Amino acid sequence: MSEHFRVEGGARLVGTVDVVGAKNSVLKLMAAALLAEGTTTLTNCPEILDVPLMADVLRDLGCAVEVDGATVTITTPAELNHEATSPSVGKLRASVCVLGPLVGRCKRAVVALPGGDAIGQRPLDMHQSGLRQLGASSTIEHGNVVAEADELRGAQIWLDFPSMGATENILMAAVLASGTTVIDNAAREPEISDLCTMLTQMGAKIEGAGTSTLTVHGVDRLEPTEHRVIGDRIVGATWGFAAAITRGDITVRGVDPHHLDLVLEKLRMAGADVSLVEDGFRVVMDERPKAVDFVTLPYPGFATDLQPFAIAMAAVADGTSMITENLFESRFRFIEEMVRMGADARTDGHHAVVRGLERLSAAPVWASDIRAGVGLVLGGLCADGVTDVWDVFHIDRGYPQFVENMQRLGANIQRVAEQA
Ligand code: EPU
């Protein structure tokens, strides 16, 4: 039995939505708990499928993990198992983030190559090269990343690209290395800053959080801590786009609006009235959105995770938009589904040209990843008729209470369980 969402177009979304902790933060913070023996508590965690999956990965390593609503408690033993090769590992990308902590704590790690979204190539060369520079060997053997070190020593590391995952793994290995590590061209996403905050609370010595140069002075041991996960800027921005696309009025709470400065500016350029409110922002749109161009780049650029929503907005905007995808080549697969809904969009390499139409036309469509799934629901909200979005388990991996929040804002959307 597979589930799908049935979306009826035409509603204007109005109301307030509360956003909880970020998927792309909590999963890394759970991995960071491996670095300290004892009990680490994370609050404001999102109730999404990926959290229990990551809990299973940590359990296989010897941790006791309790997921109780928005609170995740992880008790890490003195001796960890260093092999993360169970089927759970293959189900989510963030499982690769146990690599750095395992090498830091156990001096060896065997981690199954991770799964996650089908959005294009996701090599681990920078993760491996960073660990090698810290003194570990790293190879791919029988579908696993294998890393081993007698001792981890601080090093100067330049990343070819500010990769989130590579920054996180190198950082989490470096906190327990001897001496000083400098990671240059590090990722600057707010989720990396959140990880630095938690590691610092645990006793790590990190300078430059939120900048592209992270300096880490290794320490002998870390202590467990309690930490509140930062609000999910990608989910927050999703609701901003939902307001712009449905000519609605949505107040988003629980997100730092400064994590979305560029996004909110783009929504203003599209004609929305955007204001900051306590603990969030409000997007009001009274007219058809105007066409706006988007280029995806690492933070503080426009996030690749928001690209499907930019395309959904462009599909109903007044004018022609050019969208450039610089991170994940397969993310434009989403456009094929939008074209089923009548969108006038075509791609050439990593550029897409979208000519806006007044309305889309409802059709059965298939989600290929979390954000593509949500983008299709947004498309369905401005289509004539009823759109069935299939493979919605992707959406459940990253959006807590998605259907319920949509319904509260006035969307005509139902979760339906039946055969495709
Ligand atoms: N890359 C390499 N070599 C590496 C690592 C990355 O070439 O060793 C390349 C990738 O192929 C990609 C670019 O560097 O072109 C950026 O990848 P990055 O490592 O930053 O991505 P990630 O850590 O695998 C996280 C998020 C993604 C998000 C990207 C970019 C998690 C679990 N995933 O992935 O989120 O799109 O950063 O911001 O944190 C999502 O939430 O829907 C999602 C896919």
Side-chain angles (χ1 to χ4, degrees):
M1 194 73 92
S2 76
E3 289 184 328
H4 72 276
F5 292 166
R6 179 155 281 188
V7 188
E8 193 174 338
R12 176 171 194 254
L13 300 199
V14 177
T16 298
V17 63
D18 289 307
V19 173
V20 296
K23 167 181 86 79
N24 290 345
S25 209
V26 68
L27 303 172
K28 326 303 174 57
L29 302 176
M30 290 174 75
L34 292 169
L35 287 164
E37 183 189 343
T39 302
T40 293
T41 305
L42 299 172
T43 58
N44 197 34
C45 300
E47 293 180 49
I48 52 173
L49 285 182
D50 274 9
V51 167
L53 282 176
M54 190 66 178
D56 283 342
V57 173
L58 298 186
R59 282 187 194 108
D60 287 341
L61 295 172
C63 298
V65 188
E66 227 183 277
V67 180
D68 181 11
T71 304
V72 175
T73 312
I74 301 154
T75 302
T76 301
E79 294 292 323
L80 281 167
N81 168 14
H82 69 279
E83 290 191 15
T85 51
S86 70
S88 310
V89 180
K91 290 186 187 147
L92 77 168
R93 175 73 191 176
S95 57
V96 78
C97 285
V98 302
L99 181 63
L102 285 179
V103 179
R105 275 285 311 275
C106 312
K107 303 289 174 285
R108 54 199 177 135
V110 179
V111 180
L113 288 170
D117 296 317
I119 53 179
Q121 287 187 58
R122 298 180 86 174
L124 295 176
D125 54 310
M126 286 189 264
H127 302 236
Q128 291 187 281
S129 145
L131 292 180
R132 284 191 200 111
Q133 288 171 78
L134 292 175
S137 64
S138 179
T139 49
I140 305 281
E141 286 170 33
H142 312 297
N144 302 318
V145 194
V146 180
E148 235 168 332
D150 292 332
E151 192 204 345
L152 291 180
R153 291 176 308 277
Q156 166 74 55
I157 297 167
W158 284 275
L159 295 181
D160 287 341
F161 187 92
S163 150
M164 280 189 80
T167 303
E168 288 154 350
N169 261 330
I170 298 167
L171 179 63
M172 288 194 274
V175 288
L176 289 179
S178 62
T180 297
T181 299
V182 178
I183 311 171
D184 242 314
N185 200 22
R188 286 184 281 167
E189 273 72 4
E191 295 76 19
I192 303 275
S193 301
D194 199 25
L195 176 61
C196 289
T197 304
M198 175 163 143
L199 291 171
T200 303
Q201 282 165 207
M202 294 169 79
K205 302 269 176 271
I206 302 168
E207 294 156 19
T211 75
S212 55
T213 305
L214 292 173
T215 304
V216 185
H217 305 288
V219 295
D220 290 339
R221 55 178 287 129
L222 296 177
E223 299 299 329
T225 190
E226 180 170 337
H227 180 80
R228 182 181 164 84
V229 184
I230 55 160
D232 196 319
R233 67 194 162 100
I234 304 296
V235 172
T238 308
W239 299 116
F241 274 99
I245 289 172
T246 65
R247 303 179 205 184
D249 177 355
I250 300 181
T251 299
V252 179
R253 287 190 311 218
V255 174
D256 182 344
H258 296 301
H259 293 164
L260 292 170
D261 281 334
L262 176 55
V263 178
L264 298 181
E265 189 52 27
K266 289 283 177 183
L267 294 178
R268 279 190 197 103
M269 288 163 72
D273 180 9
V274 180
S275 51
L276 301 193
V277 300
E278 198 189 333
D279 195 27
F281 59 92
R282 179 179 177 193
V283 178
V284 183
M285 188 69 137
D286 292 322
E287 56 192 43
R288 183 177 172 195
K290 294 192 249 314
V292 178
D293 292 342
F294 292 90
V295 178
T296 68
L297 278 175
Y299 189 83
F302 185 82
T304 172
D305 294 343
L306 301 177
Q307 183 248 91
F309 318 146
I311 288 179
M313 185 169 82
V316 292
D318 185 5
T320 299
S321 310
M322 172 129 103
I323 288 114
T324 303
E325 172 57 56
N326 286 316
L327 276 86
F328 294 115
E329 67 277 7
S330 302
R331 268 213 148 122
F332 279 157
R333 278 175 59 191
F334 160 77
I335 290 182
E336 291 164 28
E337 300 302 301
M338 288 296 286
V339 167
R340 281 184 208 271
M341 283 202 255
D344 183 352
R346 68 176 64 172
T347 58
D348 185 359
H350 63 127
H351 301 290
V353 171
V354 185
R355 296 182 179 89
L357 304 169
E358 276 278 354
R359 307 268 329 132
L360 297 172
S361 172
V365 285
W366 279 262
S368 51
D369 69 83
I370 304 175
R371 315 298 170 186
V374 173
L376 293 171
V377 172
L378 295 184
L381 289 173
C382 28
D384 284 330
V386 175
T387 295
D388 285 319
V389 180
W390 292 93
D391 290 346
V392 292
F393 61 90
H394 287 293
I395 299 177
D396 295 331
R397 285 191 41 221
Y399 283 77
Q401 303 274 309
F402 180 72
V403 169
E404 293 76 3
N405 279 323
M406 277 276 176
Q407 288 170 339
R408 251 178 253 131
L409 294 169
N412 293 315
I413 180 171
Q414 309 295 332
R415 184 187 286 270
V416 183
E418 62 183 48
Q419 295 296 343

